[in-house]
Amino acid sequence: MNTEAPIALNGLARRLVRDGSLSEEIAQKAQQEASKDKKHFVSHLVTNNYLDSATIAEAAADEFGAPLFDLSAFNKEVIPKELIDIKLVQKHHSLPLFRRGNRLFIAVSDPTNLRALDEIKFHTGINTDAVLVNEELLAQALIDFIEANDEPLGGLGDLEDAGLEDLDIEAVDEEGGKDDKGADGADETPIVRFVNKVLIDAIKTGASDIHFEPYEKSYRVRFRTDGILHEVARPPMSLAGRLSSRLKVMSQMDISERRLPQDGRIKMKLSKKRAIDFRVNTLPCLFGEKVVLRILDPSSAQMGIDALGYEPEQKDMYMQALLQPQGMILVTGPTGSGKTVSLYTGLNILNEPERNISTAEDPVEINLEGINQCHVNPKVGLTFAEALRSFLRQDPDIIMVGEIRDLETAEISIKAAQTGHMVMSTLHTNSAAETITRLMNMGVPAFNIATSVNLIIAQRLGRRLCSHCAEPADIPKEVLLEEGFLESDLEDLNLMKAVGCDKCANGYKGRVGIYEVVRITPALSQIIMDGGNSIDIDKIARQEGFNDLRRSALLKAAQGLTSLEEVNRVTKD
């Protein structure tokens, strides 16, 4: 005897009963079974042969006044794959078909499946409209789509068995400790899934930064990929506070503090061997807190010097400087120009058991096994200068200073370079010559600069042309000469231009390093000690045969690695 209380029939079930396609008893039974098995009503009817899909589709079209869309004639190539979360598609038994303006059209076999429309709208930030289709055709389309696209979380093999809620995410405090509460501090599953998906998508696309930005009437998420920001999602503005709170909980910040900027870190374990760190900063703005995450991938420091893009003679100069027993190597450039990767690559080359390597960083961006890394904390008096003093009492061979910001740090660094240590550091200057004058302006004596600095690397990152769609560029000889090419360059040019395809972003994919590598020669030492300005130093550097950034960028364009437009964007004065 069936003791289960009857449940109210939904609109479609009532219509099928009224048409005589199903008895009320069978409709009740099917609806209860579907609810118990957590399946969709229409799918359950067809799967268990209660009714054929064509009859259901006709009844639904008539009941809800919706035209029936023929999915068999639909071109599946236009499906907006970048908007689709496969787990969401499976959960709601629905498939986004195409986008028109700010509306996304979703194929459903049951028009009462409003939850699917609402949740897809939330995840994409795009208004959704239902498109009624035949259940059998929808089921087959879902199978075909998932088989064609369901790589483990978009191709991250390390995440093969991980669900978005189940990723091992932990906060890291300023002292390097971990906070296991970071993964579970927010219990709102849609928010958790959305944030985790954004982090995963950023890793998949090779983004360097993620921006969560609240405005008066909208909210947007942007990735910086290959140095360029682009929008990836527009969650509802009503979720702004919950998104920032989730990110703050994950990075162990004070969620009640909304008036002051805060810093934190998140570690995402992709597997036992691979983890990604996110450096998190919040900033109170006019309409809420903006949150920016810098993605720190330790594997970028393991890529090897050959992958960085140095010209052969530049690579040789860097390697020779690294193997010197003492002296200073300075890497310069604006934020985001790849200085950290260049330094870490050098440290990896030097990282051997017989060497004692210590670094002072603000913050420690990438953890390297075998290297003693110190996170400076000015609030408690642990400055770069204080860390350096301590290093010199710990028998160091190689010292890395995150940045030379003041005279005290510069003087201690130079003293260490003059007393048998290899010192590596960065400055925020635009060229090698300006690096020398910056140290002079800080108050470092010219003689100390000339005798302690071995090598200066100024660098930029340019976007690399997509290998699938780049086409030869036809540029007049006069224009090429005006841009800086030499007559001798024109004989063997391989200039290419960006086109754009489905494998890249506007014709570019990845980045290529552009370098000015200057070894301090006797002639340069003399002009430094004579008090020469940056123009004088730059002139001598060119006479000594060192390419400036512009010349190095043009060589990259001549090799077909980047475009002339990108060269101008990165190096044009």
Side-chain angles (χ1 to χ4, degrees):
M1 182 177 177
N2 186 6
T3 58
E4 290 187 24
I7 61 174
L9 295 177
N10 65 32
L12 180 58
R14 286 197 305 271
R15 173 58 188 254
L16 293 171
V17 170
R18 192 164 70 245
D19 287 350
S21 301
L22 287 177
S23 68
E24 187 167 351
E25 182 183 356
I26 295 294
Q28 284 276 4
K29 178 184 176 183
Q31 197 164 301
Q32 286 176 337
E33 289 173 347
S35 177
K36 183 179 179 181
D37 295 340
K38 295 183 178 180
K39 291 185 177 179
H40 295 281
F41 177 61
V42 173
S43 177
H44 185 76
L45 287 177
V46 175
T47 302
N48 290 277
N49 297 315
Y50 284 119
L51 206 59
D52 66 274
S53 60
T55 300
I56 298 172
E58 289 172 8
D62 188 52
E63 175 69 15
F64 296 98
L68 190 60
F69 184 80
D70 184 5
L71 203 55
S72 63
F74 178 67
N75 178 13
K76 297 180 178 62
E77 294 298 318
V78 304
I79 291 176
K81 300 180 182 65
E82 71 281 0
L83 297 175
I84 297 176
D85 180 341
I86 289 178
K87 292 184 181 296
L88 199 63
V89 164
Q90 292 172 308
K91 175 183 176 183
H92 290 300
H93 197 68
S94 56
L95 181 64
L97 296 178
F98 54 88
R99 178 178 180 177
R100 228 173 246 166
N102 196 35
R103 306 202 74 81
L104 185 63
F105 291 84
I106 314 295
V108 295
S109 57
D110 183 355
T112 64
N113 189 8
L114 300 178
R115 188 178 175 190
L117 302 181
D118 291 340
E119 197 160 337
I120 292 172
K121 177 181 177 181
F122 163 66
H123 279 273
T124 61
I126 304 171
N127 293 324
T128 53
D129 286 329
V131 175
L132 183 61
V133 298
N134 182 295
E135 164 59 27
E136 285 187 358
L137 295 178
L138 175 60
Q140 188 58 51
L142 285 168
I143 291 170
D144 293 343
F145 178 79
I146 291 166
E147 286 180 352
N149 297 280
D150 191 18
E151 297 177 12
L153 281 180
L156 282 178
D158 293 327
L159 298 173
E160 192 165 346
D161 299 314
L164 287 177
E165 302 104 323
D166 302 324
L167 288 173
D168 189 357
I169 298 176
E170 56 193 22
V172 181
D173 62 27
E174 290 188 355
E175 285 73 38
K178 296 173 183 176
D179 173 34
D180 294 331
K181 295 182 295 183
D184 304 311
D187 58 1
E188 301 178 75
T189 300
I191 296 292
V192 172
R193 285 183 59 83
F194 177 75
V195 171
N196 288 354
K197 183 178 186 301
V198 168
L199 301 189
I200 289 294
D201 286 348
I203 296 170
K204 283 161 47 180
T205 58
S208 60
D209 301 87
I210 311 170
H211 293 241
F212 292 83
E213 302 171 311
Y215 297 96
E216 184 176 12
K217 297 180 180 179
S218 63
Y219 191 97
R220 70 178 177 182
V221 181
R222 292 192 292 173
F223 292 168
R224 186 179 293 278
T225 307
D226 298 335
I228 304 296
L229 277 169
H230 63 276
E231 185 177 308
V232 294
R234 277 191 175 265
M237 183 59 197
S238 59
L239 299 179
R242 288 151 67 187
L243 286 169
S244 62
S245 293
R246 170 61 182 163
L247 290 163
K248 287 162 75 174
V249 167
M250 291 170 68
S251 49
Q252 204 183 10
M253 297 180 189
D254 181 357
I255 62 171
S256 64
E257 178 56 78
R258 299 183 178 90
R259 300 164 301 171
L260 295 172
Q262 296 187 68
D263 292 296
R265 292 184 75 146
I266 299 169
K267 180 185 286 290
M268 178 184 286
K269 289 186 178 178
L270 305 182
S271 69
K272 291 182 179 179
K273 296 182 179 180
R274 187 184 176 201
I276 302 290
D277 284 339
F278 298 84
R279 192 173 77 204
V280 188
N281 176 264
T282 66
L283 177 68
C285 294
L286 194 58
F287 300 105
E289 288 180 286
K290 176 176 179 177
V291 186
V292 176
L293 290 77
R294 167 64 59 88
I295 302 173
L296 308 171
D297 186 354
S299 63
S300 64
Q302 312 288 340
M303 62 174 60
I305 194 168
D306 291 326
L308 297 185
Y310 287 97
E311 297 297 326
E313 64 276 10
Q314 293 177 332
K315 173 190 165 184
D316 290 343
M317 284 189 283
Y318 190 18
M319 291 296 295
Q320 290 169 14
L322 286 171
L323 298 177
Q324 293 296 314
Q326 66 182 49
M328 183 180 286
I329 297 173
L330 297 174
V331 182
T332 78
T335 300
S337 59
K339 300 187 298 297
T340 299
V341 172
S342 285
L343 279 180
Y344 278 138
T345 301
L347 288 176
N348 255 336
I349 293 170
L350 298 170
N351 189 11
E352 297 178 355
E354 60 268 21
R355 292 192 176 103
N356 176 20
I357 304 176
S358 296
T359 74
E361 305 172 61
D362 182 21
V364 174
E365 296 195 1
I366 297 173
N367 180 32
L368 296 177
E369 187 72 24
I371 293 176
N372 308 292
Q373 296 173 274
C374 172
H375 181 104
V376 302
N377 187 352
K379 293 179 182 177
V380 298
L382 182 55
T383 61
F384 280 120
E386 196 59 41
L388 279 170
R389 289 192 187 94
S390 180
F391 289 169
L392 292 173
R393 295 191 290 270
Q394 295 212 336
D395 184 31
D397 295 302
I398 296 148
I399 295 171
M400 195 270 271
V401 187
E403 183 184 350
I404 295 177
R405 298 175 179 170
D406 52 53
L407 177 59
E408 186 180 20
T409 305
E411 286 180 334
I412 299 172
S413 299
I414 285 175
K415 177 184 175 183
Q418 292 174 332
T419 54
H421 307 94
M422 169 56 65
V423 179
M424 305 172 70
S425 189
T426 72
L427 279 90
H428 283 89
T429 57
N430 293 323
S431 68
E434 289 179 33
T435 303
I436 300 294
T437 55
R438 173 68 60 83
L439 291 172
M440 290 180 179
N441 292 337
M442 282 184 185
V444 180
F447 175 81
N448 284 341
I449 298 172
T451 57
S452 60
V453 177
N454 292 347
L455 190 77
I456 302 173
I457 301 172
Q459 65 181 75
R460 301 288 188 277
L461 290 176
R463 289 180 293 171
R464 185 186 292 268
L465 284 167
C466 174
S467 59
H468 294 92
C469 64
E471 294 180 353
D474 185 16
I475 301 175
K477 175 181 177 181
E478 297 76 16
V479 174
L480 295 176
L481 294 175
E482 285 179 12
E483 292 289 351
F485 285 104
L486 304 177
E487 286 281 356
S488 56
D489 297 331
L490 304 182
E491 299 173 4
D492 192 26
L493 277 183
N494 183 32
L495 285 177
M496 307 291 283
K497 64 180 180 181
V499 178
C501 66
D502 59 357
K503 298 181 183 297
C504 65
N506 300 318
Y508 298 95
K509 186 170 184 179
R511 289 198 279 183
V512 59
I514 298 167
Y515 303 94
E516 175 189 14
V517 181
V518 175
R519 186 179 67 251
I520 303 302
T521 62
L524 281 167
S525 293
Q526 187 61 54
I527 195 70
I528 293 169
M529 287 189 287
D530 290 343
N533 58 30
S534 60
I535 297 174
D536 299 328
I537 296 169
D538 189 71
K539 181 180 177 181
I540 298 298
R542 302 294 82 77
Q543 291 175 1
E544 293 286 283
F546 304 123
N547 290 334
D548 61 8
L549 281 166
R550 177 72 180 177
R551 176 67 181 160
S552 294
L554 290 173
L555 290 176
K556 292 288 189 285
Q559 296 163 21
L561 298 176
T562 190
S563 66
L564 192 55
E565 290 80 7
E566 184 68 2
V567 167
N568 287 330
R569 186 185 73 84
V570 173
T571 66
K572 198 80 169 178
D573 292 333

